[in-house]
Every structure is written in structure tokens, then in C-alpha cells.
Amino acid sequence: MPELPEVETTRRALAPALTHARFKDVTVRHTRLRWPIPQRLAQELKGLTLESIERRAKYLLLHTQAGTLLIHLGMSGHLRLYQELPPPGKHDHVDFIFDRICLRYTDPRRFGAILWIVDDVSQHPLLQRLGPEPLTKAFTAKYLWQTAQRHHVALKTFIMNNHIVVGVGNIYASEALFLAGIHPNRPANRLTEAEAQRLVDSIKQVLRKAIQAGGTTLKDFYSGTGTPGYFRHELLVYGREGEPCVQCQTALQKMVLGQRGTVYCPTCQR
DNA sequence: AAATTCTCCTGAAGGC
DNA sequence: TGCCTTCAGGAGAATT
């Protein structure tokens, strides 16, 4: 499931091949994603040059002079580059055809999105209320601690809230809380300032390392060039329910928070 | 305002 | 082997 590291990995794979490339055509086989793909997408894009690819939260923003193509990978989406497109499979919903290369969007569960934005992208409803990027200086312990004072939800739910900080999904929230030694079910407003510092450091660390590893591939995720991510081998708690904690050998436990499976060490996380 | 629940969807896993 | 049920999960929308 693509979280920030997987989306960033995708962006880095696509940018060298697609920056300054020109859209020649778009093939849409299945319009029904999270929202319908715009009917006139092919006409809008045809002939435009892709100027840059930006990532904001888990959104990819493909900028052109006339507008921005927004792509979200949802739960199971991935984008892949091809010199020569193979015959489409069941879940290959969209092909972006450039002069010398093709980009295919695949998404079995169809929770992703492809939108065309003409106005100021930063003012778009999907983007304007987002919290800070976790890997920037704007995401500090002071900010997280002060914000936490006003919230009573479980800390894991809190750091997965895009209004608080973006890009931290179920996998990396679980990992970061383990690294910080903080129980995922602790109410946000009971976080101490010292713990906020540990948590911010842990979030940054786990995201950076995951990007270095090319993301986490559980099933569906592959980078833009088709390679899987290797961070799965470095996961300390996610997917390890019942297995021994790497620090204390206690059997890891699982609970549900905000309708999300949450694995943690009952000994190391308090 | 904040918190909770519902919803979209498919493939995998479990039960009988 | 096969059919049915359950579950996972990003995040906006609807509801409390």
C-alpha cells in the first residue's frame, strides 16, 4: 500500500524519464476510480509538455503549463514506465502515451484517483488543508506536541491524520511508534514534550530509511521502473503479530485503532 | 471542532 | 474442489 516512501520512490523513478516529455495520447479503459476520471482527459493533455513532477503528501502532481495532473495511488495502485506497452491486463486502467515512452496506471482495488486541475493546485480542496510534510523543517517536536494538546484520539490515529502531518500511513505509523517506544493507543494529549521529540525523530527516520530502500512492497507496489521496494525486510512490528519483539522477545500484540490493524510491543511501548 | 462511522473495491484467506 | 463470508485498508463524506 503506497504511503509517502512509495509515492516518493515512484516520483523519483518517473521524473528523469518524463520531465520535458510531451503527451501524445491517453487511453482510459476504466473511468471509475475513487472519482471518475475526467471524460476529456485525453483532449486536455494532448500536445502538452510535462514540466515537472512534484509530490505533496501521497499525491503526485504532474505539472504542465495548462494545468496539473493529480494522481493518487490509493491502496493498491502503481505507475510503471514502458518503452513498449504490453497488452493491458484486467487492472491496467489508464495509459499515458508520450512521444518516446508510456506510463501505465494499474490499480486492482481502484481506490486511487486521477484528476485534472486547471486552477491553483495549492488551493484545491484535496490539498489546501493538509498538514506539514514530515521530512521538512516545518514538522517539529514543538509543532506536534502543541497540536497534540488539542486532541484526544489515540496517537496512532493522530499521526495518521493528514491535517496533522501528511504521508504517514498504517505501516509507518506503527513502525514509528515502536521506534519511539510509545503505545499506539495513548491519547494524543498525554504525549510529553520529550516523547514528541522521539516520535518526530522516529517518523523522519523510518520514512527516510524506507525511501532509501525503495519503499515497502507487500503485494501491489512497484516503482515506476517495475522494481519492488525492500523495506519490508526492515519492518519491526507491522505484519509481525505474535512474533517476538526484536528488543525484548515479548510476543507482539495486535489491536484495532481507527479501523486499522495495529501491531505493537506491550513491553517496549508504554 | 473533533471524533466516529460509512463507503468505495478486489483478492486473499478461512470455514464448512 | 467450491462456494460463501470476512477482512484489509487511504481518506473523503456523512454523521454524531
Side-chain angles (χ1 to χ4, degrees):
Chain A
M1 42 228 76
E3 300 185 25
L4 186 149
E6 290 73 36
V7 180
E8 178 62 22
T9 296
T10 300
R11 190 194 70 77
R12 292 180 184 188
L14 301 188
L18 296 183
T19 306
H20 308 309
R22 196 175 65 115
F23 285 98
K24 198 160 82 180
D25 206 353
V26 180
T27 307
V28 180
R29 288 182 210 86
H30 202 131
T31 57
R32 288 189 55 186
L33 302 184
R34 192 179 213 291
W35 300 284
I37 295 175
Q39 292 282 340
R40 290 178 44 79
L41 190 62
Q43 292 98 307
E44 301 279 7
L45 286 172
K46 222 175 268 190
L48 292 175
T49 296
L50 203 167
E51 293 179 337
S52 61
I53 306 181
E54 179 191 5
R55 180 191 57 74
R56 174 72 174 111
K58 297 176 192 169
Y59 297 100
L60 285 170
L61 304 172
L62 283 64
H63 296 294
T64 76
Q65 204 183 0
T68 296
L69 185 66
L70 176 149
I71 301 178
H72 195 290
L73 300 175
M75 276 280 304
S76 56
H78 69 262
L79 288 162
R80 182 166 175 183
L81 292 165
Y82 291 94
Q83 300 290 335
E84 203 77 35
L85 275 176
K90 186 178 173 186
H91 303 301
D92 296 334
H93 306 313
V94 183
D95 293 330
F96 299 96
I97 299 155
F98 296 82
D99 286 333
R100 287 206 286 280
I101 199 161
C102 300
L103 180 67
R104 173 165 279 176
Y105 176 84
T106 305
D107 187 1
R109 268 161 276 187
R110 307 214 309 270
F111 281 7
I114 297 178
L115 298 175
W116 175 242
I117 302 170
V118 178
D119 304 320
D120 181 2
V121 181
S122 65
Q123 296 306 306
H124 191 277
L126 291 174
L127 303 178
Q128 69 171 351
R129 311 183 80 126
L130 293 175
E133 286 286 330
L135 294 178
T136 64
K137 287 180 179 172
F139 184 57
T140 63
K142 188 180 172 192
Y143 162 79
L144 193 72
W145 182 76
Q146 286 182 344
T147 310
Q149 301 314 298
R150 296 184 273 114
H151 292 262
H152 303 119
V153 283
L155 268 166
K156 173 152 175 285
T157 306
F158 179 68
I159 61 175
M160 287 177 67
N161 181 344
N162 282 337
H163 297 120
I164 308 303
V165 58
V166 301
V168 184
N170 202 37
I171 296 175
Y172 299 113
S174 304
E175 295 296 309
L177 284 162
F178 174 77
L179 289 175
I182 299 169
H183 200 289
N185 198 26
R186 175 115 61 92
N189 64 338
R190 293 220 235 123
L191 189 70
T192 68
E193 289 188 76
E195 287 168 336
Q197 185 66 62
R198 289 214 308 272
L199 186 51
V200 165
D201 292 344
S202 298
I203 290 171
K204 289 175 189 274
Q205 182 192 329
V206 73
L207 293 177
R208 282 204 185 99
K209 286 196 171 176
I211 290 171
Q212 278 175 20
T216 300
T217 296
L218 296 176
K219 199 170 55 190
D220 298 304
F221 175 74
Y222 297 91
S223 88
T225 47
T227 53
Y230 296 103
F231 196 72
R232 179 158 66 112
H233 308 295
E234 297 179 49
L235 296 176
L236 301 177
V237 289
Y238 183 88
R240 297 193 61 234
E241 177 191 8
E243 294 177 37
C245 168
V246 294
Q247 286 177 27
C248 75
Q249 321 320 315
T250 302
L252 298 178
Q253 291 186 12
K254 185 169 186 174
M255 68 192 308
V256 176
L257 292 175
Q259 300 172 298
R260 298 291 174 268
T262 305
V263 184
Y264 65 100
C265 174
T267 304
C268 297
Q269 294 176 258
R270 293 295 175 172

